[in-house]
Amino acid sequence: MGSIFKKYSLEDLGFNVEEALGLYRVIDEDGNVVGEEPKVSGEKLLEMYVFMVRARILDDWILKLQRIGKVAIHAPNKGQEAVAVGAASALDKGDWLFPSYRELGAYLVRGLSEEEILDRAIADADDPLKGAEFAIYGNREYNVVPAPVPVGSHIPLAVGAAMAAKIMGHKTVVMAIFGDGATSRGDFHSGLNFAGVFKAPAVFVIQNNQYAISLHVTRQTAAKTLALKGAAYGVPGVRVDGNDVLAVFSVASKAVEKARNGGGPTLIEALTYRVGPHTTADDPGRYRSQEEAKAFEKLDPIDRYRKYLINRGLLSDSEDKRIWGEWGLKIEDIVKKCYNKPPLPAEVIFYNVYSKPTWNLIEQMGELRESLKLLEELGLEVE
Amino acid sequence: MGSIFKKYSLEDLGFNVEEALGLYRVIDEDGNVVGEEPKVSGEKLLEMYVFMVRARILDDWILKLQRIGKVAIHAPNKGQEAVAVGAASALDKGDWLFPSYRELGAYLVRGLSEEEILDRAIADADDPLKGAEFAIYGNREYNVVPAPVPVGSHIPLAVGAAMAAKIMGHKTVVMAIFGDGATSRGDFHSGLNFAGVFKAPAVFVIQNNQYAISLHVTRQTAAKTLALKGAAYGVPGVRVDGNDVLAVFSVASKAVEKARNGGGPTLIEALTYRVGPHTTADDPGRYRSQEEAKAFEKLDPIDRYRKYLINRGLLSDSEDKRIWGEWGLKIEDIVKKCYNKPPLPAEVIFYNVYSKPTWNLIEQMGELRESLKLLEELGLEVE
Amino acid sequence: MPVVNMVQALNSALREEMRRDPRIIVLGEDVGRRGGVFLVTEGLIEEFGPERVIDTPLTEAGIVGVATGMAMYGLKPVAEIQFIDFIYEAFDQIVTNLSKIRRRTGGMYSAPLIVRGPCCGGVKGGMFHSQSNESYFIHTAGLIVVMPSRPYDAKGLLKASIRGEDPVIFLEPKILYRTVKEEIPDGDYIVPIGESRIVKEGSDATIVTWGAMVYQALETSKLVESKHGWSIEIIDLRTLFPYDKDSIIESLEKTGRLVIVHEAPKTLGLGAEIAAYIAENYIELLKAPIIRVAGFDTPFPLVHEKLYMPNIARIYMGLSKVMSY
Amino acid sequence: MPVVNMVQALNSALREEMRRDPRIIVLGEDVGRRGGVFLVTEGLIEEFGPERVIDTPLTEAGIVGVATGMAMYGLKPVAEIQFIDFIYEAFDQIVTNLSKIRRRTGGMYSAPLIVRGPCCGGVKGGMFHSQSNESYFIHTAGLIVVMPSRPYDAKGLLKASIRGEDPVIFLEPKILYRTVKEEIPDGDYIVPIGESRIVKEGSDATIVTWGAMVYQALETSKLVESKHGWSIEIIDLRTLFPYDKDSIIESLEKTGRLVIVHEAPKTLGLGAEIAAYIAENYIELLKAPIIRVAGFDTPFPLVHEKLYMPNIARIYMGLSKVMSY
Ligand SMILES: Cc1ncc(C[n+]2csc(CCOP(=O)(O)OP(=O)(O)O)c2C)c(N)n1
Ligand SMILES: Cc1ncc(C[n+]2csc(CCOP(=O)(O)OP(=O)(O)O)c2C)c(N)n1
Ligand SMILES: [Mg+2]
Ligand SMILES: [Mg+2]
């Protein structure tokens, strides 16, 4: 007699396990085409390159500013530009992005300017987030939501936004980017589960740079791949070479299109490598070998993409130099400008806690002002 | 050129997807053998039957006591006895069990007596947990850890115990039982992930009774099966007919043996059905059809197992009647005994908060005593 | 005007607000056809459908996190936590996102949503169905915390919360769900956030309390009035944060004696903050020590809960202390 | 006696205890070869191996939940939360299991483990690397809460915590990790849980404080001594729960004036409880209002943190209030 309980087989899975275990690629390390190129204009292809270059230059500058104490802390992006730029390039203007803290390229693609990113990094008078937090970027104008520092806590927010868009009948797609480490947090679990159950128009991009500070991804989870984690939620997982901007862009574009058309969420695992330290406060020498890092440094996504563009005749060496040179100068000018901006006033402490300050905050603002006066009287400085 | 990033295929998975999608069975609804019978004595087979009978009778009694207000609340076990008894029977004496709140059969298998279970249900003077909480059972003597009411919060505890056993060089296996609903909680995620990474000697049993109060499991997750969730953690998942006590016992025994031999954890999904209401406070008529419930009621695991035992000549009708009759009387006597036990003293409020009461508790005990005196003086009762 | 209990009052608040504004949705465990385990959301899915009345998977972190994202996008979610004792999984979402989203995005985003659920003791719910955990939220800047004690306030405060611009933790003493009935206006009205209610005027001592303890305070006030002729003023805070300090000060100007009564454990219960605030700013008003009558500093017990919670004897003891000082 | 900073003191406490008792293990994010981001666990994995120094996946709920299970089984875990601001995911585990395991199992099981991590501000860490969140734990019955202010206490209190029978939340002001150095005994010693330390004797007013604020209080006391001749007594609580009430009362018997200084947000900071306790039981000792100087009721800011936290000016203002009353 058969059971009342259903039996399933691989075919019923509704989930392509091969995609979650494999590795989607478009160009190899030498820029040769090994997969299907995305059908977009040469202009768009070049644009992605420029975003990667801008991200690299900006990353370098923020690092420098951190070293001289002008920026509190920075999480280097180097070597991971293809994930951020490839993924964000798949979104439409009206779509929403919930990034993490290591995606300068994505912020630029969405429209944030170098200047506002630097205002944020420095937390100067023009800081759009009013000195709330360090190393976190976003702007409502471009539907880029500033991340919470607790890793992965933004994932349910992204799912909620996606569900809201669906409920309100919008065609918005919401993308969340987070690291391999974030997949261990409860928020990944609840977020992906809601997305699966409610078929949220969401795209999840795991930027698997193989480390969460010192922990290698193979100690983060015993799952064979992170894309496979989608199986736990009925969310298709796709594994992609994250140093191949075209592969990331292609996979993300398909996922975005699917989500927009009511096909539900996708979990993308983009394999890359954190070439630098976790942040400017880290020392990777303590936990990984020089050789490992060296091997991955050779896979630089910008070099690789440059080779492809040159192969395709979309870029020449001199044009390339011009791009680096021009953006180098532009960004240097912006750095100089931001460097000299005044600081935020002390009252920002009380900004935006509630829609209107509650009575305790009003009392405490009084205390702050009185203390500032007293400090002056005493001729003391505490900062 | 090949990639530095590895590609995997199904063979590399180290995870039998078929087992996670299929349905392990030993006997069918008519008690016919359709799979491999476990190699245990007839005595052990009969013992499991008696445990199921005892659980059923006890469940009925607690329900009755709840209806007359002697017990605060009860989560009926009816129809799910095979999961609890089958799973717990796979454990050795020294193993640890972290059950949930709906596994009377498992508590009995581990050695808890009907009397202490009733003391707990009533929270009388002999209540081993000293009136701490309702409807929660356990006893350190039998390595059964009382569950927290927040669903699934015991999963990381079980994993921690398993990891500790391994670190201390013990051969202990730790089993956790929880519901389909619990798989959505962050604790499932963190617990399973730790178990996978550290190869904890743990066995997880999902008692999938298809409902979390009113929510059907198909709205709990979009995963095809719950066993498949193991894939997210590198923990093999096995799906089993939970109304087939021999199937549950077989699968659990294999998992326990594997864990004991250093093979790491297993996630077992046991499919069953909650025939009754969620708890005595629930009304399933609000959210599911009579027909659905009826269809599943026919699958009663005790009936099914009885047929098998009779088929195998291990049980006769008269012997069966004797078992029901004897245990019926025994348990009735215990109920009567417990019914008349005195209540716990008021001071239990302050028991076991710390290893020694802190000064604030000592002050507050004084307040309690004073208030009791005052109530007496005023001739008032508040309880 | 219909006579309703608190469940009905809350239900009608939700229903009327959902009719008024399509952005308002409800989500939580079993809030759909089950109507919530206390039936606060009964009938809503029938009227508004499963897109606006969402049965969620069993994860409080998911409920609050997802609701926060929904609110940031433009919906107005009312999220139910089945028992407020289960909210802790969501604590990171509450502390990290819900309470700080406005500040940490420089005011670009906000998440004015309601997290509501049954709280407090008195129904033999044991350790995890009885907690009064308002302190955790009051200590978390960015949140409004509300606890009604009667149907009228329940409806008016829930409407005010829904129409507000800040996230609200809305705590409903489950013992009052069906035990208190009263006439309330049929249609629209609001009880403003931040305003307490004088339950009873008096001149000798002030009891500041909230939730179900309002009734214990009332009962005790009658006892001491008849026994000693003490005239007790009772203030029901209603909004626990920002609490209505002015009403307390006004009352103290009259009575000079303060007893604070709450179910939450004494240590760092809201009583501590109120006492400290008075001892800091209005100590000259005091004719006696400030007495707190509160839940004991233990997990909530299944047995003897009425001895654990402030009761008539313990409130009487508190009043005696301030009256005899 | 070697001169050490707080990181070294904590490290030696862990090392000595782990040598003494094989049941003691360490777990947390990056505690292995990385040695923890502040190097408190540096070198331990080399000495004790990866079975006793466990690098965990990135989930605080997992860390605390698993550690609790380990402790129930018989190990003695010291769990590190990388920054205490990340502990909220573990809040259900803390409130539901860690703090209640003894009570909710009728005393059959206990989980005497240590959850330790860097806390508090002063290093430009912004909103999520600067929090002082002790109130959440003090309000949760079943937990011990500790915060050392100097290397000697850090080592002695950590050892006492490890040898105790109750779960301890052990908070380490990160700004003190390397800024304060002192001679401490090389070998074994204990600083008992529940005992405060008189940092400085005085007769005009008492400052009760803890953590890095001890140094702000000291500095301010020197200022007011030289400026006004006020003699200030300073108490470093060290154990925040159960706090040493007797030392506060004794001091108040002398001074009659109380200022409480802490970094945590004012509303329901521990200052509220201490003030309320005094206003309830020892109001007759007071010559002035009880003043709290505390972090403001806002998320911790990246900019102007030294204005957000109590500083010399604000403590001076507090002392002026009690001295001029
Ligand atoms: C909840 C939480 N725990 C710990 C930290 C400290 N921390 C910051 S980044 C990080 C590692 C994150 O790794 P991953 O998610 O892989 O992102 P990556 O830094 O590699 O981009 C940790 C542990 C944090 N920010 N949040
Ligand atoms: C964290 C938490 N949220 C909500 C509840 C309320 N609740 C009690 S049982 C239950 C459903 C549990 O379903 P499942 O895990 O499938 O176990 P079952 O009751 O079916 O045995 C819910 C929502 C709870 N106990 N804990
Ligand atoms: Mg990473
Ligand atoms: Mg279930």
Side-chain angles (χ1 to χ4, degrees):
Chain A
M1 195 184 127
S3 170
I4 192 166
F5 301 122
K6 264 194 215 141
K7 254 188 189 179
Y8 298 101
S9 61
L10 258 181
E11 291 76 60
D12 305 310
L13 200 50
F15 185 98
N16 187 336
V17 181
E18 308 269 304
E19 282 188 352
L21 290 167
L23 185 72
Y24 191 92
R25 303 175 87 200
V26 174
I27 52 175
D28 71 9
E29 280 74 7
D30 299 320
N32 301 315
V33 177
V34 294
E36 194 186 336
E37 294 168 78
K39 281 167 201 57
V40 291
S41 65
E43 217 170 281
K44 171 98 178 180
L45 292 175
L46 201 59
E47 195 187 84
M48 289 202 271
Y49 181 72
V50 175
F51 279 124
M52 289 166 76
V53 169
R54 286 169 61 187
R56 177 72 55 92
I57 297 171
L58 186 57
D59 188 56
D60 264 357
W61 268 114
I62 303 180
L63 262 175
K64 275 183 211 144
L65 290 169
Q66 195 282 331
R67 280 202 206 97
I68 59 169
K70 190 77 183 170
V71 160
I73 196 163
H74 179 59
N77 286 218
K78 193 177 170 187
Q80 304 185 208
E81 293 88 349
V83 183
V85 170
S89 296
L91 294 172
D92 276 0
K93 204 165 182 289
D95 294 335
W96 281 44
L97 179 67
F98 285 78
S100 187
Y101 46 81
R102 205 189 291 282
E103 293 91 27
L104 287 172
Y107 320 144
L108 294 171
V109 168
R110 293 298 297 167
L112 273 78
S113 67
E114 274 88 354
E115 179 164 348
E116 72 177 291
I117 290 174
L118 286 164
D119 287 335
R120 266 272 55 225
I122 297 169
D124 63 33
D126 289 339
D127 174 5
L129 303 194
K130 308 278 181 285
E133 182 50 302
F134 63 54
I136 293 296
Y137 306 92
N139 191 333
R140 182 168 193 142
E141 203 178 320
Y142 307 106
N143 296 328
V144 179
V145 183
V149 163
V151 161
S153 296
H154 60 306
I155 301 172
L157 303 186
V159 175
M163 286 175 67
K166 188 176 171 187
I167 291 168
M168 294 169 82
H170 298 175
K171 281 288 185 189
T172 316
V173 173
V174 179
M175 179 182 282
I177 309 183
F178 45 88
D180 43 304
T183 62
S184 290
R185 293 203 72 230
D187 287 321
F188 173 82
H189 191 58
S190 64
L192 270 280
N193 193 36
F194 268 71
V197 168
F198 297 102
K199 282 199 158 242
V203 176
F204 305 99
V205 180
I206 308 173
Q207 180 154 216
N208 180 0
N209 61 7
Q210 307 188 45
Y211 282 92
I213 308 189
S214 73
L215 196 71
H216 194 261
V217 63
T218 51
R219 301 297 300 166
Q220 189 68 250
T221 178
K224 208 74 194 173
T225 73
L226 299 178
L228 201 59
K229 285 183 181 275
Y233 314 104
V235 174
V238 186
R239 197 154 166 271
V240 55
D241 185 334
N243 281 5
D244 176 349
V245 68
L246 295 184
V248 176
F249 174 71
S250 290
V251 167
S253 297
K254 268 178 240 160
V256 166
E257 199 187 316
K258 182 178 167 198
R260 199 178 317 282
N261 295 327
T266 306
L267 176 66
I268 299 170
E269 175 188 2
L271 275 154
T272 179
Y273 188 84
R274 200 195 73 215
V275 172
H278 169 65
T279 64
T280 43
D282 185 32
D283 167 14
R286 289 185 173 272
Y287 53 81
R288 72 182 188 194
S289 70
Q290 287 276 2
E291 296 80 59
E292 182 191 295
K294 279 269 154 58
F296 279 101
E297 244 184 299
K298 286 199 210 109
L299 303 177
D300 191 81
I302 298 184
D303 285 349
R304 182 164 165 186
Y305 193 40
R306 180 195 300 115
K307 287 178 203 158
Y308 165 81
L309 292 173
I310 289 177
N311 284 351
R312 277 214 33 193
L314 292 167
L315 184 70
S316 66
D317 273 336
S318 62
E319 176 64 5
D320 184 43
K321 283 221 181 75
R322 195 192 54 76
I323 292 170
W324 284 91
E326 242 174 41
W327 280 104
L329 286 176
K330 257 196 237 179
I331 295 175
E332 189 175 340
D333 280 347
I334 299 169
V335 168
K336 282 184 192 149
K337 180 175 173 196
C338 293
Y339 193 92
N340 292 310
K341 289 192 187 183
L344 286 157
E347 290 78 39
V348 291
I349 293 172
F350 293 98
Y351 284 9
N352 297 311
V353 183
Y354 292 89
S355 56
K356 280 174 223 61
T358 47
W359 61 258
N360 58 317
L361 293 182
I362 293 167
E363 288 185 2
Q364 292 169 20
M365 279 190 252
E367 187 181 341
L368 170 67
R369 282 194 205 105
E370 205 185 319
S371 74
L372 289 171
K373 230 184 292 169
L374 181 58
L375 281 171
E376 217 180 290
E377 277 170 37
L378 294 171
L380 286 174
E381 272 194 28
V382 295
E383 291 195 288
Chain B
M1 196 186 127
S3 170
I4 193 166
F5 302 123
K6 264 193 215 141
K7 256 189 191 182
Y8 297 101
S9 62
L10 258 180
E11 292 76 61
D12 305 309
L13 200 50
F15 184 98
N16 188 335
V17 181
E18 308 268 305
E19 283 189 351
L21 289 167
L23 186 72
Y24 191 93
R25 303 176 86 202
V26 173
I27 52 175
D28 72 9
E29 280 74 8
D30 298 320
N32 300 316
V33 176
V34 295
E36 195 186 334
E37 293 169 79
K39 282 166 199 60
V40 291
S41 66
E43 217 169 280
K44 171 97 180 182
L45 292 175
L46 201 59
E47 195 186 83
M48 287 201 272
Y49 181 71
V50 176
F51 278 124
M52 288 167 75
V53 169
R54 286 169 62 187
R56 176 73 55 92
I57 296 171
L58 186 58
D59 188 55
D60 264 358
W61 269 114
I62 303 181
L63 262 174
K64 276 184 208 144
L65 290 169
Q66 195 281 331
R67 279 203 205 97
I68 60 171
K70 190 76 182 172
V71 160
I73 196 163
H74 180 57
N77 286 219
K78 194 175 170 186
Q80 304 186 207
E81 292 88 349
V83 183
V85 170
S89 296
L91 294 173
D92 276 359
K93 202 164 183 287
D95 293 336
W96 282 43
L97 179 67
F98 286 78
S100 188
Y101 47 81
R102 204 189 292 280
E103 293 92 24
L104 287 172
Y107 319 145
L108 294 170
V109 168
R110 293 299 297 168
L112 273 77
S113 68
E114 275 88 353
E115 179 163 348
E116 72 176 292
I117 290 173
L118 285 163
D119 288 335
R120 268 272 54 228
I122 296 169
D124 62 33
D126 291 338
D127 174 6
L129 302 194
K130 309 277 182 287
E133 182 50 301
F134 62 55
I136 292 297
Y137 306 93
N139 190 332
R140 182 168 191 141
E141 204 178 318
Y142 307 106
N143 297 328
V144 180
V145 183
V149 163
V151 161
S153 295
H154 59 308
I155 302 172
L157 301 186
V159 175
M163 286 174 67
K166 188 175 171 187
I167 291 168
M168 293 167 84
H170 298 175
K171 279 290 185 187
T172 316
V173 173
V174 180
M175 179 183 281
I177 309 183
F178 45 87
D180 43 303
T183 62
S184 290
R185 293 203 71 231
D187 287 322
F188 173 83
H189 192 57
S190 65
L192 271 279
N193 193 36
F194 268 71
V197 168
F198 297 103
K199 282 197 155 242
V203 176
F204 305 98
V205 179
I206 307 173
Q207 180 154 215
N208 180 0
N209 62 6
Q210 306 187 45
Y211 282 91
I213 308 187
S214 73
L215 194 72
H216 194 261
V217 62
T218 50
R219 302 295 300 163
Q220 188 68 249
T221 177
K224 209 74 193 173
T225 74
L226 299 178
L228 201 59
K229 285 183 180 277
Y233 314 104
V235 174
V238 186
R239 197 155 166 271
V240 55
D241 185 334
N243 281 6
D244 176 350
V245 68
L246 295 183
V248 176
F249 174 72
S250 291
V251 167
S253 297
K254 267 176 241 161
V256 167
E257 200 188 314
K258 183 179 166 194
R260 201 179 315 283
N261 295 327
T266 306
L267 176 66
I268 299 171
E269 174 187 4
L271 274 155
T272 181
Y273 189 84
R274 201 194 72 214
V275 172
H278 168 65
T279 66
T280 44
D282 186 32
D283 168 14
R286 287 185 174 272
Y287 53 81
R288 71 184 188 192
S289 71
Q290 286 275 3
E291 298 80 60
E292 182 191 294
K294 279 269 153 59
F296 278 101
E297 244 182 300
K298 286 201 210 107
L299 302 176
D300 190 82
I302 298 184
D303 286 350
R304 181 164 165 187
Y305 192 40
R306 180 197 298 115
K307 288 179 202 155
Y308 165 82
L309 292 173
I310 289 176
N311 283 352
R312 278 216 29 194
L314 291 166
L315 184 71
S316 65
D317 273 338
S318 62
E319 176 63 4
D320 185 42
K321 282 220 182 74
R322 195 191 56 73
I323 292 171
W324 283 93
E326 241 173 41
W327 280 104
L329 286 175
K330 256 195 239 178
I331 296 175
E332 190 174 341
D333 280 348
I334 299 170
V335 169
K336 282 184 191 147
K337 181 176 171 198
C338 293
Y339 193 91
N340 293 309
K341 289 190 187 183
L344 287 158
E347 290 78 39
V348 292
I349 293 172
F350 293 99
Y351 285 10
N352 297 312
V353 184
Y354 292 89
S355 56
K356 283 173 221 65
T358 46
W359 61 259
N360 57 317
L361 294 181
I362 293 168
E363 287 185 2
Q364 292 169 20
M365 280 190 250
E367 187 181 343
L368 171 66
R369 285 197 201 102
E370 204 185 320
S371 75
L372 289 171
K373 232 185 288 168
L374 181 59
L375 282 171
E376 219 182 288
E377 276 170 37
L378 294 171
L380 286 174
E381 272 193 29
V382 294
E383 290 196 289
Chain C
M1 295 207 304
V3 174
V4 300
N5 64 27
M6 198 186 274
V7 168
Q8 294 163 323
L10 291 165
N11 184 271
S12 74
L14 288 172
R15 194 182 297 271
E16 289 171 20
E17 290 300 296
M18 289 178 82
R19 283 180 186 156
R20 186 182 59 76
D21 184 347
R23 294 174 312 138
I24 298 167
I25 64 143
V26 158
L27 76 165
E29 294 157 14
D30 307 292
V31 297
R33 274 190 293 165
R34 180 69 184 79
V37 298
F38 288 101
L39 303 182
V40 171
T41 57
E42 193 179 18
L44 297 181
I45 197 168
E46 284 78 6
E47 178 166 352
F48 303 105
E51 285 234 310
R52 290 183 64 198
V53 181
I54 304 172
D55 273 323
T56 67
L58 207 172
T59 159
E60 288 72 16
I63 294 169
V64 175
V66 162
T68 304
M70 288 173 158
M72 290 167 71
Y73 190 87
L75 289 178
K76 190 93 194 191
V78 181
E80 173 170 308
I81 301 297
Q82 198 161 82
F83 286 84
I84 208 69
D85 319 52
F86 302 139
I87 201 167
Y88 306 115
E89 194 197 45
F91 208 62
D92 180 50
Q93 282 299 331
I94 291 171
V95 173
T96 295
N97 285 324
L98 183 63
S99 69
K100 294 190 178 55
I101 199 75
R102 189 187 287 275
R103 169 65 176 131
R104 75 169 184 69
T105 64
M108 288 181 190
Y109 293 92
S110 63
L113 62 87
I114 284 81
V115 178
R116 50 160 291 278
C119 71
C120 309
V123 302
K124 276 197 169 292
M127 195 179 277
F128 295 107
H129 293 85
S130 307
Q131 296 176 23
S132 297
N133 52 15
E134 61 261 26
S135 280
Y136 297 127
F137 310 113
I138 296 169
H139 185 59
T140 305
L143 302 176
I144 304 283
V145 186
V146 168
M147 192 190 293
S149 71
R150 52 174 191 162
Y152 179 89
D153 292 344
K155 181 169 176 179
L157 284 166
L158 186 52
K159 286 197 168 216
S161 300
I162 289 173
R163 297 180 194 180
E165 289 172 55
D166 295 298
V168 178
I169 308 291
F170 196 95
L171 305 167
E172 303 161 5
K174 65 182 84 64
I175 193 174
L176 303 180
Y177 269 154
R178 292 169 196 285
T179 50
V180 184
K181 294 194 181 81
E182 64 181 345
E183 278 194 0
I184 67 169
D186 208 1
D188 201 42
Y189 69 94
I190 282 284
V191 172
I193 300 291
E195 285 184 18
S196 70
R197 171 173 75 101
I198 309 287
V199 178
K200 179 182 164 303
E201 301 211 11
S203 53
D204 291 326
T206 303
I207 294 180
V208 172
T209 189
W210 52 92
M213 291 302 102
V214 166
Y215 302 93
Q216 298 295 318
L218 255 175
E219 212 187 316
T220 313
S221 75
K222 284 178 200 150
L223 177 76
V224 300
E225 206 140 303
S226 76
K227 232 180 149 71
H228 304 289
W230 301 339
S231 161
I232 310 297
E233 179 141 311
I234 300 175
I235 296 177
D236 175 2
L237 274 191
R238 301 199 291 196
T239 297
L240 307 190
F241 194 82
Y243 67 89
D244 185 351
K245 71 167 168 35
D246 295 333
S247 70
I248 301 173
I249 297 160
E250 240 168 75
S251 180
L252 278 183
E253 276 166 353
K254 201 162 47 166
T255 66
R257 295 184 185 87
L258 178 57
V259 175
I260 307 163
V261 179
H262 59 70
E263 284 186 50
K266 182 169 187 173
T267 293
L268 284 180
L270 176 56
E273 179 58 36
I274 295 172
Y277 188 80
I278 297 300
E280 183 158 18
N281 297 288
Y282 296 93
I283 201 165
E284 66 279 2
L285 297 179
L286 294 177
K287 299 182 193 148
I290 303 169
I291 300 298
R292 292 176 291 163
V293 182
F296 295 128
D297 289 328
T298 74
F300 195 99
L302 175 67
V303 295
H304 302 303
E305 61 176 342
K306 296 281 166 67
L307 298 174
Y308 168 89
M309 298 189 291
N311 56 35
I312 191 165
R314 289 174 55 206
I315 300 172
Y316 184 6
M317 284 155 56
L319 287 171
S320 301
K321 273 185 206 145
V322 297
M323 292 307 297
S324 66
Y325 185 76
Chain D
M1 297 209 303
V3 174
V4 300
N5 64 27
M6 198 186 275
V7 168
Q8 293 163 324
L10 292 164
N11 185 272
S12 73
L14 289 172
R15 193 183 295 271
E16 289 171 20
E17 291 300 295
M18 291 178 81
R19 283 180 187 159
R20 185 182 60 75
D21 184 347
R23 295 174 312 137
I24 298 166
I25 64 141
V26 158
L27 75 165
E29 294 157 14
D30 308 293
V31 297
R33 272 189 294 164
R34 181 68 182 81
V37 298
F38 287 103
L39 303 182
V40 171
T41 57
E42 193 180 17
L44 298 181
I45 197 167
E46 285 77 8
E47 179 166 351
F48 302 104
E51 286 233 310
R52 293 183 63 201
V53 181
I54 304 172
D55 273 323
T56 67
L58 207 173
T59 158
E60 288 72 17
I63 294 168
V64 175
V66 162
T68 304
M70 288 173 159
M72 290 169 70
Y73 190 88
L75 289 178
K76 191 93 195 189
V78 182
E80 173 170 309
I81 301 296
Q82 197 160 83
F83 286 84
I84 210 69
D85 320 52
F86 302 140
I87 202 166
Y88 305 114
E89 193 197 44
F91 208 61
D92 180 50
Q93 282 299 330
I94 291 171
V95 173
T96 294
N97 286 324
L98 184 61
S99 68
K100 295 190 178 55
I101 199 76
R102 189 187 288 274
R103 170 66 176 132
R104 76 169 183 69
T105 65
M108 288 182 190
Y109 293 92
S110 64
L113 62 86
I114 285 81
V115 178
R116 51 160 290 278
C119 70
C120 309
V123 301
K124 276 198 168 291
M127 195 180 278
F128 294 107
H129 293 85
S130 307
Q131 296 176 23
S132 298
N133 51 15
E134 60 261 26
S135 279
Y136 297 127
F137 310 112
I138 297 170
H139 185 58
T140 306
L143 302 175
I144 305 284
V145 186
V146 168
M147 192 190 293
S149 71
R150 51 175 191 163
Y152 180 89
D153 293 344
K155 180 168 177 179
L157 284 166
L158 186 52
K159 286 197 167 215
S161 300
I162 288 173
R163 297 180 193 179
E165 289 172 53
D166 295 298
V168 178
I169 308 291
F170 196 95
L171 306 167
E172 304 161 3
K174 66 182 84 63
I175 193 176
L176 303 180
Y177 269 155
R178 293 169 195 284
T179 50
V180 184
K181 295 194 181 83
E182 65 181 344
E183 278 194 359
I184 67 169
D186 208 0
D188 201 41
Y189 69 94
I190 282 283
V191 171
I193 301 290
E195 287 184 17
S196 70
R197 171 174 75 101
I198 309 285
V199 178
K200 179 182 164 304
E201 302 210 11
S203 52
D204 292 325
T206 304
I207 295 180
V208 172
T209 188
W210 51 91
M213 291 300 103
V214 166
Y215 303 92
Q216 298 296 319
L218 255 176
E219 210 186 321
T220 314
S221 75
K222 283 178 201 151
L223 177 74
V224 300
E225 208 142 299
S226 77
K227 233 180 147 67
H228 304 290
W230 301 340
S231 161
I232 309 298
E233 180 142 310
I234 300 175
I235 297 177
D236 174 2
L237 274 191
R238 301 197 291 197
T239 296
L240 307 191
F241 193 84
Y243 67 88
D244 186 352
K245 72 167 167 35
D246 295 334
S247 70
I248 300 173
I249 297 159
E250 239 168 78
S251 181
L252 278 183
E253 277 165 354
K254 204 163 43 166
T255 65
R257 296 185 185 86
L258 179 57
V259 175
I260 308 163
V261 179
H262 60 68
E263 284 185 50
K266 182 170 189 175
T267 292
L268 284 179
L270 175 55
E273 179 58 35
I274 295 172
Y277 187 80
I278 297 299
E280 183 159 18
N281 298 288
Y282 296 92
I283 200 165
E284 67 279 3
L285 297 180
L286 293 177
K287 301 183 193 149
I290 303 170
I291 299 299
R292 294 177 289 162
V293 182
F296 295 128
D297 289 329
T298 73
F300 195 99
L302 174 67
V303 295
H304 303 303
E305 62 175 344
K306 295 282 166 64
L307 299 174
Y308 168 89
M309 299 190 289
N311 55 36
I312 192 166
R314 289 176 53 208
I315 300 172
Y316 185 6
M317 283 156 56
L319 287 170
S320 301
K321 274 187 203 144
V322 297
M323 292 308 295
S324 66
Y325 185 77

